[in-house]
Amino acid sequence: MIQAIGLTSDPRKQLPPAVDDVSFEACAGRVTALLGASGAGKTTALRLMLELQRGRGITYFRGRPLHRIAHPSREVGVLLGEVPGHPARTVRGHLRMLCAAAGVPARRADEVLEVVGLVSLRDERLGTLSRGLDRRLGLACALLADPHTLVLDDPADGLSTRESRWLYGMLRAHADQGGTVLLTTADPKEAARTADRVVTLERGRIVADQEAADFSRTRLRPRVAVRSPHASRLAALLAKEARTAQRSVEVVREGGNRLSVYGSSCAAVGETAYRHGILVHQLADEIGDMGPGAATDVSNLVAQPQAGEAQPAPVGGAITAREHGRGATESAALVPAPGRGVDTAHGLRALPDAPPTPGGKPSTPQARTSEPGPADAPTEEDGPSSQADGPRVPTPSADALPDLPPPISVRPVPSPLRPLRYELRRAAGVGTGFLTAAAVLLVSALTAVLLARIGHTPHHRLLVAWPRELPLPPAALGAGLLGAIAFGDEFRHPALAADRGTVPRRLGLLAAKLLVASATALALAVLTVGCDIEVLYLVYGRELTEVPADWLWLSASWTGLVVGCAWAGVLAAGLFRSTTAGLAAVVAVPVVLVPLVRKAVEGPSVRTAAGFPLRLREVLLSQWPFGGERYLAAVARVVAQPVGGALTLSLAALLAAYLLTTVRSRVR
């Protein structure tokens, strides 16, 4: 269960806090709705619960706060806004990356794709998905690690009627299996239809915390209950008069001879019946009905009657007259109630009633679809198509409601390879790294040819295409950009949203990123030199491709420069949460730090470090195997250079700052 205690957001300038002392509970096995209009504080409350926003208060998930849970994604499945992910990543690749982050088998991605009906779209890019498919993918991400608790912010926003019914059916099935579901919505009817308990927020404060039955009886709009042997004729007359008078009146045919009229009064309905000579058996003001379509919910096909109210038929037809444009139009016609069989409008087959749960909802098995047929075609009732907000992608049947993904058992012992697998899938899942490397090789080769034609460039700088006028060569800038992307893109597209919503500052993840960035930088350094030598040989011959005599320390210097730039990009992007900041930190090394280091080195001094390699060999007292002392001396020469010294200082400062913020966040 979820226990939220005293949630209060930080005060804003000259405004009260968005959430002020909010406390409530969401029990296991039930669906809890957080209801409120736009700006009521629903999303802020969820962000405070998930520790994504600073404030006061605490939230317990099955007795533990989120920061005390070793693997939050295995306890809480989260869907906030759109699915966070790189637009160029495929659906299956995105889920497999999250599998590696959560420590679950990669086959889990295919299981949840089958559950949400996206198997046929697993190779589509995230940027091409419509709003409805994006919501399906978000639910798949939330279910990936088989969490006990689901926290979803307005999950049906932008979905059609059938897609919303499918989504709420999945959430009801999760709750029926003992899970906890907490969702937000701005529609009172939707909250009453789908939830067991409704918590109402207004201006950041709780104004009601009720069971769904009590909420329907006390906080929904009133209605006029009418019984007449000429119900169809009376409904048509009421709709016609509302259309003529341009009034918002909704007339619902509940079944048999019963009508429910919203937006009118007993006097107005009685006068209409009297003028047209229609016999009326009952005319009374009532409250507690959740509106038309309440009985068609997948998880609750038969509405539970309230005290003092007549039980409506399972499915009713509706006549509505609403203000639209210059006048009101009749939006639906009377449809006879089909009874407890197949809902002909949606192709759903009702299941037999089961004993109601303590929350007032029937504990029924998960609804399954009948054979597809013409009823699967879109109807006016479905509202706007889910494809309206994106490219035309084939949409799977919105009625398909397969079983929930099977439970999985995850070993509690963390694997050191889990962050590495995640980072490899993250880096290889999009083409940004490959395009950046190709651009670096092309620019470096062209720069080398141009420098050779102009002349006046030292041979060792010519091989790496590093003119004196530029602070860094193309390969070092490319390595720094790739390192900055490694962390920066995760804050633009937080792939670990299921794991506390942002990238956790864990040393295992940092080590994996530094390792992958080092391997990428080494490959880029070797390929750059090889391509430059090959291009220079093709254009100018063998004269410019000779290996320098001091190739050892030059190679160490070149490797250290490229790898150091990559590390600086990773650390700066992780520290400042921005790709731009990561690349700026890389460029700042030669532009800002190198002049300072050079001034410090070239300034007046009493003693120098001349003869350091010879004294180093004397201190070690023995020869290293395979000439290891030569490599150590080469590293010392690299660090002694202004660029190497500046890069070493910046890396040390960034690493210390990163570790400090990590310790600080854990202390909090």
Side-chain angles (χ1 to χ4, degrees):
M1 64 179 299
I2 302 176
Q3 294 173 300
I5 304 172
L7 299 179
T8 305
S9 61
D10 290 342
R12 300 165 291 178
K13 291 183 178 180
Q14 299 179 352
L15 292 174
V19 173
D20 188 7
D21 195 20
V22 170
S23 301
F24 64 92
E25 291 185 358
C27 299
R30 309 183 72 189
V31 178
T32 304
L34 203 58
L35 174 66
S38 179
K42 306 185 299 296
T43 302
T44 303
L46 294 188
R47 294 183 63 84
L48 288 172
M49 293 171 59
L50 298 171
E51 301 179 7
L52 302 180
Q53 184 171 330
R54 291 187 178 182
R56 299 187 298 275
I58 192 170
T59 303
Y60 293 100
F61 297 89
R62 291 204 288 183
R64 293 178 297 171
L66 199 62
H67 62 269
R68 296 287 185 182
I69 301 175
H71 300 286
S73 61
R74 301 177 189 173
E75 176 65 29
V76 184
V78 180
L79 175 58
L80 299 177
E82 297 181 356
V83 175
H86 198 289
R89 202 178 300 277
T90 63
V91 172
R92 188 169 183 263
H94 180 72
L95 289 177
R96 286 174 64 88
M97 180 185 67
L98 295 184
C99 285
V104 300
R107 65 177 183 275
R108 182 70 173 179
D110 297 323
E111 293 178 358
V112 295
L113 281 177
E114 184 177 356
V115 167
V116 300
L118 293 180
V119 175
S120 60
L121 303 178
R122 60 185 179 183
D123 295 326
E124 294 290 334
R125 306 289 179 181
L126 298 186
T128 64
L129 297 182
S130 65
R131 179 67 171 176
L133 298 180
D134 184 83
R135 275 318 204 202
R136 285 172 176 258
L137 179 59
L139 183 60
C141 295
L143 295 173
L144 195 63
D146 193 20
H148 174 270
T149 303
L150 294 179
V151 178
L152 308 102
D153 185 18
D154 205 359
D157 180 32
L159 301 187
S160 66
T161 303
R162 288 194 295 173
E163 288 175 327
S164 299
R165 184 179 297 110
W166 173 87
L167 176 64
Y168 288 126
M170 291 289 295
L171 300 182
R172 171 57 57 187
H174 182 81
D176 289 343
Q177 293 185 4
T180 304
V181 178
L182 175 65
L183 58 92
T184 66
T185 181
D187 187 357
K189 296 182 185 179
E190 187 177 86
R193 284 196 296 264
T194 59
D196 301 308
R197 191 169 188 85
V198 181
V199 181
T200 307
L201 286 177
E202 288 184 7
R203 298 181 181 180
R205 289 180 174 270
I206 292 181
V207 296
D209 188 350
Q210 305 165 292
E211 295 292 328
D214 297 334
F215 171 80
S216 300
R217 190 165 53 250
T218 59
R219 300 196 63 84
L220 287 182
R221 61 177 178 169
R223 67 180 180 186
V224 177
V226 184
R227 289 186 182 275
S228 172
H230 307 288
S232 299
R233 182 184 171 199
L234 179 58
L237 290 171
L238 292 173
K240 181 179 179 180
E241 290 185 358
R243 183 175 63 251
T244 303
Q246 296 187 358
R247 292 185 294 111
S248 179
V249 176
E250 188 172 1
V251 184
V252 179
R253 179 72 178 275
E254 299 290 358
N257 60 354
R258 187 172 186 269
L259 296 177
S260 292
V261 183
Y262 299 88
S264 186
S265 63
C266 287
V269 175
E271 290 175 2
T272 300
Y274 177 77
R275 285 197 305 268
H276 295 86
I278 298 177
L279 178 64
V280 175
H281 291 164
Q282 179 189 12
L283 189 62
D285 286 322
E286 293 184 357
I287 56 176
D289 186 59
M290 56 191 77
T296 60
D297 190 1
V298 171
S299 62
N300 189 18
L301 289 174
V302 180
Q304 299 296 325
Q306 305 298 334
E309 294 183 0
Q311 180 176 356
V315 180
I319 297 179
T320 59
R322 297 183 182 274
E323 294 183 9
H324 180 72
R326 298 182 179 177
T329 59
E330 190 169 343
S331 62
L334 284 174
V335 180
R340 297 196 56 220
V342 176
D343 184 347
T344 56
H346 301 91
L348 292 173
R349 184 176 300 278
L351 296 177
D353 288 334
T357 62
K361 299 291 181 181
S363 178
T364 59
Q366 192 168 339
R368 299 182 183 275
T369 59
S370 58
E371 293 297 327
D376 292 329
T379 62
E380 294 181 2
E381 183 182 346
D382 294 332
S385 172
S386 61
Q387 301 289 347
D389 298 332
R392 302 293 296 179
V393 180
T395 307
S397 174
D399 296 328
L401 188 60
D403 292 331
L404 287 173
I408 56 176
S409 57
V410 183
R411 290 180 299 176
V413 180
S415 170
L417 296 179
R418 180 167 64 91
L420 184 59
R421 285 197 298 266
Y422 160 76
E423 179 61 20
L424 290 174
R425 289 175 180 169
R426 184 209 61 80
V430 294
T432 304
F434 302 103
L435 293 177
T436 302
V440 166
L441 294 179
L442 179 60
V443 172
S444 181
L446 294 178
T447 304
V449 172
L450 183 61
L451 291 177
R453 181 178 180 83
I454 296 175
H456 309 294
T457 301
H459 185 56
H460 63 278
R461 279 180 169 262
L462 182 63
L463 295 181
V464 296
W466 188 0
R468 296 180 181 273
E469 295 76 15
L470 294 181
L472 287 174
L477 286 174
L481 177 59
L482 291 177
I485 290 174
F487 248 138
D489 269 3
E490 291 189 348
F491 293 104
R492 288 180 55 207
H493 314 287
L496 295 179
D499 201 350
R500 296 187 60 184
T502 57
V503 180
R505 296 185 175 183
R506 295 177 179 173
L507 297 183
L509 182 63
L510 175 63
K513 288 187 177 296
L514 292 179
L515 181 60
V516 173
S518 301
T520 305
L522 283 174
L524 190 61
V526 173
L527 289 175
T528 299
V529 175
C531 289
D532 292 348
I533 291 177
E534 188 67 24
V535 171
L536 290 175
Y537 172 75
L538 291 176
V539 177
Y540 300 108
R542 192 176 297 275
E543 179 183 359
L544 298 178
T545 59
E546 296 180 357
V547 178
D550 51 352
W551 65 271
L552 178 60
W553 81 269
L554 287 176
S555 300
S557 177
W558 173 241
T559 302
L561 176 64
V562 178
V563 174
C565 288
W567 281 27
V570 170
L571 292 171
L575 184 63
F576 300 107
R577 303 191 174 195
S578 170
T579 302
T580 305
L583 186 59
V586 174
V587 178
V589 171
V591 175
V592 178
L593 293 180
V594 168
L596 297 178
V597 173
R598 182 178 286 115
K599 184 178 295 185
V601 172
E602 295 177 355
S605 60
V606 178
R607 294 180 177 84
T608 63
F612 173 75
L614 181 60
R615 291 192 298 272
L616 181 64
R617 183 176 301 177
E618 293 176 355
V619 170
L620 296 177
L621 298 177
S622 62
Q623 296 290 332
W624 285 29
F626 307 106
E629 70 278 0
R630 293 184 301 168
Y631 299 99
L632 186 60
V635 172
R637 292 180 62 182
V638 171
V639 175
Q641 292 180 356
V643 176
L647 194 58
T648 303
L649 289 176
S650 65
L651 288 177
L654 289 173
L655 185 59
Y658 190 95
L659 295 177
L660 179 63
T661 55
T662 302
V663 174
R664 183 182 178 186
S665 63
R666 290 186 177 182
V667 169
R668 283 183 176 178

